[in-house]
Amino acid sequence: MHTFKILLRYYFYIMGIFFVGRLLLFIKYYDDISQSGVDYWLTFLYGLRLDTISASALLLIPLLLLSFSHKKMYTFIKVVFKYYFLVILSLVLYIENATFPFIAQYDVRPNYLFVEYLEYPKEVFSMIFSAYKLELFISFVMISSFIYLYLKKEEKSIETILEVHYVKRAFLFIPLFALLFMGFRSSFGHRPANGSDAMYTTNRMVNEITKNSIYSISYSIYSNNVHQNNAIKHYGKMDIPEAIKRVQKRLNIVGADSAFPLSRIEKTHFKGKEPKNLVIFIQESMGYQFVHALGGEEGITPNMNRLSKEGILLSDLYSNGTRSIRGLAGVSAGNFSVPGKGVLSRNKSQDNFFTLATVLKEFNYHTTFMYGGESRFDNMKGWYIGNGFDEVIDQPMFKNPTFVAPWGVCDEDLVVRANKEFKEMYAKKQKFATVMFSQSNHSPFEYPNEKIDVLSGVPIKSVKNAVKYADYAIGKFIELARAEAYYKDTIIVIVADHNVRTYGKDMVPVDMYHIPGLILGGGIQPMVHDAITTQPDLLATALDLIGLDLMYPIMGHSIFSDKKQNISLMQFYDSYALRVGNKVAIVRPNKEASTFLYEEPTEYFDRSYHLTPIEHDKELEKDALAFVITLDYVYNEKLYRNAKEATK
């Protein structure tokens, strides 16, 4: 019984930390969730289940130590036991503290991103120390106080437990282990409880509060790594041929080769004597709400607003996901977000994966990826070089930059270097295609603020001022380019990788996937394309405009093609939303699919619900599932490449 009592005591310690963390989140977001129309009080009941799963797992090692250790090992076991719980409880305290700034940034509990970014300590810790000083101080005080009080406490129960003959303790291990096993599994069915059990409402924040952060991190790591190969089955069942056929029909794609279902020949609508150069300038976290031309706030992006009247404005463009690697893949390779880790980080897409470089290689284009930071981040360099790009220019290659932030050189340095490269290649009559990626609009928002008239009423180091500086760099780039001969022979695309973050109450906040997209360059006539457009559509449009007939597997069409569909596919962590017109089907692991009617926000920062549940559209829901299954299948079978390339 002593073993049970000591485990029960630590169970309540862990549960207490989880409860307080959940309660504080509940209070913080109460105004948002109280009007949600859902049973938000049940978050504490459902949360108790997930907390017990986490606590049961953490108590297993102490149970083994107490059940099978010989009394001669008392001193050693006492030290191990004490410091095990010191580390565990300190870690739980820290992560629950870190939950508050993480939710403020990502609108979800800490997940695999929380540990994935630890691979890049320089950038991440610079950001943390610059942007979250108060949160770090509070965590330090709480954890230091806990450690001081904990170390003063003398644990005498262990000696009493070890005095009991270990055979008897081993016998008592069976019911105690069974109890922990039931707590960990939290189900008598064939399937144990999992993260989907927290998703009991249509209000996303209620569902996030229901989890605890230790569980959220552990389950997401498991799903994205250990469980990756089997994760798709939790969305639902569908035969591969049916899934592919549904995706082809929704995208209006007829494959030229049955072995490569998405690859086909697309004829250009802009045939000329010579194909044009291509520059795609991807903006870090520039959401539609910063661009007045898209209905956003006035005064933040004056250059984008001015240029929107001089080129092709895609006024209803949506990102693939909420992370840079999803946007980079969408714009550089024209694919939707693969379930699990993004393709930039996954093994089977490090070579022989379609990109704009692979399709332009036979036309003798020099292809470059340019980034002001270190391109090792998120494996950008490895992925671009491995998939056809001739060159990567990143931070170490910028000599004497004018301004360096934690994430790299400023955007102005990037555009000045790019303009220099383009001038030199054009002078040599070298065709070029370049993907540029900005970084100045990134927490802790350090940029050369003397270059802009900072906005009043917001901190200098704020997202709005950082976006205004990014807009300044856009204007600078176009000004430099228009002064050079290469401009008339170049298509320039300006597009965001994703929105700054996903605010909102909806299960998938569709409006926060809305991003700016603008096409400029020689021969471009001003127009507004107001139909739904995706990042793959944007790449197909850019390749159409350079004037080449191409074979490719891009998951979209040029806006000038009559094959173009009014459709988008958005990934929000492990949820997928397929939008066709104003109807949205959402599929999630271990949950029934749902159908919603989407209503555009009435203003640029409207936090109300935009998804209204309606009667199930079974065909749309099946199509959403088909996309998830097809994306996974095409990735795993390495079918996301051209049929022409595969036969070489």
Side-chain angles (χ1 to χ4, degrees):
M1 288 302 293
H2 287 296
T3 302
F4 174 75
K5 287 179 181 178
I6 194 171
L7 292 177
L8 186 63
R9 188 195 325 151
Y10 281 101
Y11 168 82
F12 282 121
Y13 289 163
I14 297 169
M15 297 292 284
I17 297 172
F18 288 150
F19 175 78
V20 171
R22 182 174 294 109
L23 179 62
L24 292 176
L25 284 173
F26 187 84
I27 293 170
K28 179 177 175 64
Y29 292 100
Y30 181 74
D31 288 343
D32 286 337
I33 65 179
S34 60
Q35 307 300 320
S36 62
V38 301
D39 294 326
Y40 51 84
W41 289 106
L42 288 176
T43 186
F44 293 99
L45 182 61
Y46 284 90
L48 182 65
R49 184 182 191 186
L50 295 180
D51 294 350
T52 296
I53 292 173
S54 300
S56 298
L58 294 173
L59 291 173
L60 180 59
I61 291 177
L63 174 62
L64 291 170
L65 289 173
L66 296 177
S67 298
F68 298 107
S69 300
H70 196 279
K71 63 181 178 181
K72 291 181 179 179
M73 300 173 63
Y74 166 68
T75 303
F76 172 74
I77 296 302
K78 179 182 177 182
V79 171
V80 171
F81 190 90
K82 185 168 188 174
Y83 284 96
Y84 172 83
F85 276 112
L86 177 68
V87 171
I88 290 298
L89 293 174
S90 297
L91 182 64
V92 172
L93 271 173
Y94 170 73
I95 292 177
E96 286 299 312
N97 272 281
T99 296
F100 290 85
F102 194 93
I103 288 182
Q105 180 67 30
Y106 297 104
D107 238 31
V108 294
R109 286 262 193 182
N111 50 28
Y112 63 93
L113 295 179
F114 192 81
V115 292
E116 189 174 86
Y117 278 166
L118 294 180
E119 296 179 30
Y120 313 102
K122 174 179 173 289
E123 293 88 347
V124 172
F125 286 111
S126 294
M127 178 183 70
I128 290 173
F129 288 127
S130 298
Y132 301 112
K133 292 184 179 69
L134 178 61
E135 290 85 351
L136 280 172
F137 176 74
I138 293 172
S139 294
F140 176 78
V141 170
M142 288 184 64
I143 294 170
S144 297
S145 301
F146 162 73
I147 291 174
Y148 173 76
L149 294 172
Y150 182 84
L151 291 177
K152 286 186 67 176
K153 179 179 177 295
E154 184 70 23
E155 183 60 77
K156 296 181 179 179
S157 303
I158 295 177
E159 186 174 7
T160 305
I161 292 170
L162 295 185
E163 286 295 329
V164 178
H165 196 278
Y166 64 85
V167 174
K168 185 177 181 182
R169 282 185 280 120
F171 180 75
L172 292 172
F173 167 80
I174 297 173
L176 292 176
F177 176 78
L179 190 63
L180 288 183
F181 180 76
M182 286 189 291
F184 177 72
R185 203 170 186 279
S186 191
S187 171
F188 292 106
H190 71 282
R191 180 181 295 167
N194 55 56
S196 64
D197 291 289
M199 298 187 289
Y200 72 97
T201 76
T202 57
N203 184 289
R204 182 162 46 82
M205 188 51 66
V206 173
N207 296 340
E208 291 301 322
I209 292 173
T210 303
K211 305 173 187 176
N212 67 70
S213 295
I214 284 281
Y215 183 86
S216 178
I217 293 169
S218 302
Y219 186 74
S220 62
I221 291 173
Y222 172 70
S223 297
N224 281 278
N225 293 284
V226 180
H227 200 41
Q228 182 64 58
N229 292 334
N230 297 318
I232 296 303
K233 70 179 184 181
H234 295 290
Y235 286 90
K237 294 181 179 180
M238 184 177 292
D239 291 337
I240 298 296
E242 180 188 352
I244 292 173
K245 189 176 294 186
R246 283 179 173 273
V247 169
Q248 288 176 324
K249 183 177 179 181
R250 275 295 179 191
L251 294 177
N252 198 12
I253 288 174
V254 179
D257 188 314
S258 59
F260 297 90
L262 300 173
S263 188
R264 75 278 186 191
I265 296 172
E266 294 287 353
K267 299 282 188 178
T268 180
H269 296 83
F270 300 92
K271 200 75 170 179
K273 291 182 179 179
E274 287 288 330
K276 293 191 174 184
N277 305 303
L278 176 61
V279 175
I280 300 179
F281 193 4
I282 301 176
Q283 299 298 309
E284 171 69 57
S285 305
M286 185 179 282
Y288 84 100
Q289 69 270 28
F290 303 119
V291 183
H292 186 59
L294 300 177
E297 189 172 343
E298 199 168 2
I300 299 178
T301 53
N303 289 300
M304 283 289 288
N305 291 322
R306 172 177 55 83
L307 293 170
S308 68
K309 299 179 177 65
E310 301 172 12
I312 300 171
L313 177 65
L314 306 175
S315 64
D316 208 20
L317 173 65
Y318 291 82
S319 64
N320 280 354
T322 59
R323 291 192 60 203
S324 295
I325 57 173
R326 306 292 188 180
L328 289 171
V331 175
S332 304
N335 74 310
F336 289 121
S337 295
V338 175
K341 284 186 177 181
V343 293
L344 269 70
S345 304
R346 294 178 68 172
N347 294 336
K348 292 183 179 180
S349 50
Q350 296 308 304
D351 56 59
N352 291 320
F353 194 84
F354 171 82
T355 65
L356 65 90
T358 61
V359 76
L360 295 178
K361 189 174 291 293
E362 68 175 286
F363 298 97
N364 299 315
Y365 277 72
H366 180 82
T367 50
T368 310
F369 174 67
M370 296 186 67
Y371 176 53
E374 294 192 21
S375 58
R376 63 185 175 81
F377 193 84
D378 273 337
N379 192 44
M380 290 184 288
K381 182 175 183 178
W383 187 79
Y384 276 101
I385 291 294
N387 290 300
F389 279 74
D390 298 307
E391 184 181 19
V392 168
I393 297 175
D394 64 354
Q395 184 175 355
M397 299 177 71
F398 285 80
K399 305 302 180 186
N400 303 314
T402 63
F403 186 91
V404 180
W407 289 90
V409 306
C410 66
D411 289 354
E412 185 177 13
D413 287 338
L414 175 67
V415 303
V416 169
R417 174 64 181 271
N419 183 63
K420 177 176 177 291
E421 295 286 331
F422 303 154
K423 282 171 56 179
E424 291 175 355
M425 284 189 282
Y426 189 77
K428 297 175 185 176
K429 301 188 185 308
Q430 172 64 62
K431 290 293 178 186
F432 59 85
T434 297
V435 175
M436 301 160 58
F437 186 28
S438 77
Q439 67 80 29
S440 291
N441 178 28
H442 203 301
S443 179
F445 307 117
E446 294 185 11
Y447 59 93
N449 55 70
E450 71 279 1
K451 297 288 185 176
I452 63 170
D453 294 326
V454 296
L455 298 163
S456 61
V458 295
I460 292 177
K461 291 184 178 182
S462 64
V463 64
K464 288 185 179 180
N465 278 315
V467 170
K468 189 169 185 180
Y469 173 75
D471 176 75
Y472 160 80
I474 291 169
K476 176 85 171 184
F477 175 55
I478 300 302
E479 178 187 353
L480 291 171
R482 282 177 170 168
E484 302 297 338
Y486 72 78
Y487 182 81
K488 64 180 172 54
D489 294 318
T490 303
I491 298 299
I492 297 175
V493 176
I494 301 168
V495 61
D497 57 353
H498 56 82
N499 207 317
V500 65
R501 58 163 289 198
T502 46
Y503 300 93
K505 304 174 182 178
D506 292 312
M507 193 181 296
V508 175
V510 173
D511 59 309
M512 296 309 293
Y513 285 72
H514 192 183
I515 56 173
L518 179 62
I519 303 174
L520 301 160
I524 295 296
Q525 298 300 312
M527 63 170 283
V528 176
H529 181 76
D530 58 4
I532 296 172
T533 315
T534 65
Q535 288 169 325
D537 291 329
L538 180 61
L539 178 58
T541 303
L543 292 175
D544 186 9
L545 286 164
I546 66 174
L548 288 171
D549 297 333
L550 300 171
M551 173 178 276
Y552 55 58
I554 294 173
M555 298 178 183
H557 293 286
S558 167
I559 62 171
F560 300 101
S561 171
D562 57 6
K563 300 174 186 174
K564 168 79 177 65
Q565 301 298 293
N566 202 36
I567 184 175
S568 66
L569 182 72
M570 295 155 283
Q571 182 198 38
F572 185 67
Y573 300 101
D574 58 0
S575 297
Y576 276 83
L578 176 62
R579 179 185 176 192
V580 178
N582 284 331
K583 195 177 281 189
V584 179
I586 296 178
V587 291
R588 300 176 291 167
N590 302 311
K591 288 290 182 181
E592 183 184 22
S594 305
T595 305
F596 300 86
L597 191 65
Y598 175 66
E599 184 177 352
E600 296 280 355
T602 55
E603 55 186 22
Y604 73 89
F605 195 53
D606 181 358
R607 283 178 176 266
S608 63
Y609 281 102
H610 302 299
L611 292 178
T612 302
I614 59 174
E615 185 179 349
H616 289 281
D617 184 328
K618 293 296 185 180
E619 289 303 306
L620 186 62
E621 291 173 358
K622 286 179 180 178
D623 287 344
L625 173 60
F627 270 96
V628 177
I629 291 172
T630 300
L631 285 164
D632 181 72
Y633 176 76
V634 166
Y635 164 77
N636 280 306
E637 298 300 317
K638 302 192 76 170
L639 300 182
Y640 197 69
R641 46 185 172 155
N642 282 333
K644 186 187 296 184
E645 295 164 1
T647 57
K648 289 181 180 178

